[in-house]
Amino acid sequence: MSSEWRRLPLGEVAELSGGFAFKSSDYAPSGRFVLRTLNIGGDATINRDDAVYMPDDLYPEYAKFELEESDTLFVMVGATLGKVGFVRRDNLPALLNQNMWRIRADPKVIDPRFLHYSFRHNVERIVSWASGSARGFLRRDDCRNLELPLPAMPEQKAIAHILGTLDDKIELNRKTNETLEAIAKALFKSWFVDFDPVRAKAEGRPTGLPAEMSELFPDSYEESELGEIPRGWKVRDVNDLCEWISSGGTPSRARKDFWENASIPWFKTGELHDASLLDSTEKVNDLALSNSSCKLWDSGTILFAIYASPTVGRLGVLTSQGTSNQAAAGLMAKKEVGIPFLRRTLLFSRDILQNIAVGAAQQNINVQILKDHKVVRPPEEITSLYSGLIQDHDNQQVVLARSSKYLTDLRDTLLPKLISGELRVPDAEALVAEAGI
């Protein structure tokens, strides 16, 4: 640490306060967003998955649990102990639920974003305090004495700016990918779930599509085993959309030579997040492939989780050759169907397949159930049209995901060195400039 830096306890530079145990019976469809532990995602992001709200008329009672921009959040109990969140302006307004701390910087002493990174740098050590106790949780008093290195305010702001610039770009990439995926899903739902072009033609209205596209859709319906579907479209099983469907496998853990000097990505279902798969936490080698039930799958293979409801239905798309454990199946789309169409077909089948899993003894499905699952199959002119329109969106998602991975690696390299004073600001700025940020 730089010799001119001070060290101060966390309790002297920030206020630590807890959330509130809001009653689920008070939740409403709208109002103030109640941020729960499940709303803290990876990389300190905050989402609104399964969002719940407190009615505005009850809000004054809970005003002291209101979050502010640049608050740092910390989950201090439970299975997600140690997760850290950072409150951005677009996360607000929001109220803090129980099982978390709100760490609010004293801006006269410490830059709020510098505090966030300094605290984040210490999380692994903080969590070890809980694992070393019988409680399995952390009290605020456990951390108030945590000493943080404190350079002068201009250097704090410079460090926060460097790391924050990287995080802001990562966050922008994430939001852009969310928008691209929302477009792909919305078009799929319009064409293949709600049948909007067919409905418009049946009612004598314009479809809103170019004439050559509009002509591909029928103007009436017919009955099927899945209910009313566009005339001429078919009910087929998922297997009919695929060149092949295969199960994964796990090489023997007892054979260390299967896992050493390995470079082939081997994915577990916990790594499937409905997005492109860039890299895996574990790797296998050729010896493992030839001596186990693992298969080497090509780029473009969709991995689909079949074990452990509610994990069933999560998916990912390989961006290079790879494989998976037996809790996932690999699916390769037929050329005339296209990866984008098969990918969203599986996403929109998730609820049904999860319900099947819930009713099963092990709360799983198997590859045969997946193969036999019934879906609506439009003519190939329409499936290939959809996949052709969406492929550029999916390609862009891969580009942005790779950019974010590079930026994340750079940030994770710089963070401990900047916070400790090992790396000075001008050198870090040069590295960020080389990254084109």
Side-chain angles (χ1 to χ4, degrees), residues 15-45:
E15 172 201 11
L16 279 71
S17 58
F20 184 77
F22 293 97
K23 296 178 181 178
S24 58
S25 57
D26 289 336
Y27 292 154
S30 61
R32 279 292 199 283
F33 168 53
V34 177
L35 194 154
R36 298 175 291 167
T37 56
L38 62 83
N39 299 119
I40 299 182
D43 235 10
T45 58

Side-chain angles (χ1 to χ4, degrees), residues 169-170 172-174 176-177 180 275-278 319 343 391-407:
K169 176 58 177 172
I170 293 166
L172 177 61
N173 288 350
R174 184 185 68 82
T176 303
N177 270 353
L180 291 169
S276 303
L277 297 170
L278 302 183
T319 57
R343 174 176 172 177
Q391 189 60 64
D392 283 346
H393 289 68
D394 289 355
N395 292 343
Q396 182 64 12
Q397 287 191 55
V398 175
V399 170
L400 292 173
R402 285 182 172 142
S403 169
S404 291
K405 184 180 184 304
Y406 171 76
L407 296 173

